[in-house]
Amino acid sequence: MLAVSKLCAAHGVVEAVRDVDVQVPKGALVALVGANGAGKTTTLNSIAGLHKPSSGTVLVGGRNVTGWPCHRLVRAGVALVAEGRRVAPSLTVLENLELAAYAKRRDKADFQQQIGRVYDLFPVLAERRGQYAGLLSGGEQQMLAVGRALMTRPDVLVLDEPSMGLAPSIVDVLFTTISTLHETGSTILLVEQNAELALAVSDYVYVMHRGRIVAEGEPDELRSRPEIMTALFG
Ligand code: ATP
């Protein structure tokens, strides 16, 4: 579904991502792990239209979408939940979800069906639908950020550090939902600082270090390689 090859990206003179190859088959949950500064966020942003890659290709369903801006990528089926949530604080929960649906220009029946699905996944969003998003807790804002991405009915959901800054109990809720999405057929690319958590939920894992992919495999395969476990967990 998503095929990234030889992706390179820089911040000015800092080469942050070098020759990255990542494949996310339809229905798979694939994780990208690595230490702070490894280049995970730059990779996701280069895939999802927040950063222009310097070279390489990004294919979605076989279509070359390399370097497309975010709004075009949403229509091509890629939805990013960026690091740090970024919901619209002065809009209500419902308005945030409506705005996201508008980005994909869906009809009314489709909107109702999709918002029902989001409310089923995150009942708290239904309860708080009239509340300003800025007044939600950090965990609720993250749920809204994921819900907003789902409103576009993405072919590939791209999640950047969904657990960041959240209490463990909220992280559990969020990851249970991510697993539910996976079990119901969603295709997901996840960046997660907590490697243990990433290994627990994913089908396949890429390990990044200093801008490159240095290891990859199924979680059990990586667990059986002590040098990787030391690099990931210390
Ligand atoms: P984190 O988990 O801390 O977000 P990461 O693995 O996602 O780390 P990136 O944020 O992609 O890593 O950063 C990769 C490299 O690019 C780092 O060396 C970082 O210092 C650098 N970098 C990231 N953003 C910028 C920026 N806006 N300007 C300059 N350098 C940047």
Side-chain angles (χ1 to χ4, degrees):
M1 177 57 74
L2 174 69
V4 176
S5 55
K6 297 219 167 298
L7 188 78
C8 297
H11 297 285
V13 292
V14 180
E15 200 172 36
V17 173
R18 183 87 200 246
D19 285 338
V20 161
D21 291 338
V22 168
Q23 305 276 339
V24 187
K26 192 170 164 54
L29 197 172
V30 171
L32 189 58
V33 301
N36 266 336
K40 306 178 300 295
T41 294
T42 307
T43 301
L44 286 200
N45 288 350
S46 302
I47 292 170
L50 286 187
H51 187 89
K52 239 188 162 54
S54 34
S55 59
T57 54
V58 178
L59 304 182
V60 175
R63 182 180 191 189
N64 190 342
V65 299
T66 315
W68 285 19
C70 242
H71 66 275
R72 273 185 83 194
L73 277 165
V74 165
R75 281 183 223 135
V78 180
L80 171 71
V81 178
E83 199 172 17
R85 310 187 257 282
R86 302 192 202 177
V87 294
S90 56
L91 298 181
T92 65
V93 167
L94 177 61
E95 286 164 347
N96 267 274
L97 296 172
E98 283 172 342
L99 201 62
Y102 180 74
K104 192 72 178 271
R105 299 194 184 128
R106 295 280 181 185
D107 63 34
K108 204 169 171 185
D110 187 84
F111 172 81
Q112 290 303 344
Q113 191 189 23
Q114 200 57 7
I115 204 163
R117 184 159 177 249
V118 169
Y119 286 162
D120 284 347
L121 283 166
F122 300 113
V124 70
L125 295 182
E127 286 162 28
R128 309 255 154 119
R129 72 187 83 180
Q131 196 167 92
Y132 288 122
L135 298 177
L136 301 177
S137 70
E140 290 161 353
Q141 288 192 20
Q142 186 62 282
M143 291 173 199
L144 178 57
V146 175
R148 209 172 49 168
L150 292 173
M151 288 306 293
T152 70
R153 259 189 217 276
D155 295 318
V156 186
L157 179 64
V158 181
L159 299 169
D160 195 357
E161 302 251 10
S163 74
M164 193 163 63
L166 301 181
S169 59
I170 307 295
V171 173
D172 282 351
V173 172
L174 206 58
F175 270 77
T176 302
T177 309
I178 291 170
S179 293
T180 303
L181 285 169
H182 177 215
E183 282 154 20
T184 53
S186 294
T187 305
I188 302 171
L189 175 59
L190 166 74
V191 157
E192 182 50 59
Q193 183 86 67
N194 182 337
E196 209 163 341
L197 201 54
L199 261 63
V201 297
S202 47
D203 302 310
Y204 200 83
V205 180
Y206 291 90
V207 182
M208 252 186 125
H209 180 68
R210 295 193 181 164
R212 292 176 184 271
I213 302 290
V214 293
E216 64 181 273
E218 290 173 10
D220 284 346
E221 209 179 318
L222 293 183
R223 281 195 191 94
S224 68
R225 292 168 64 184
E227 78 286 3
I228 291 174
M229 296 316 282
T230 310
L232 289 178
F233 299 115

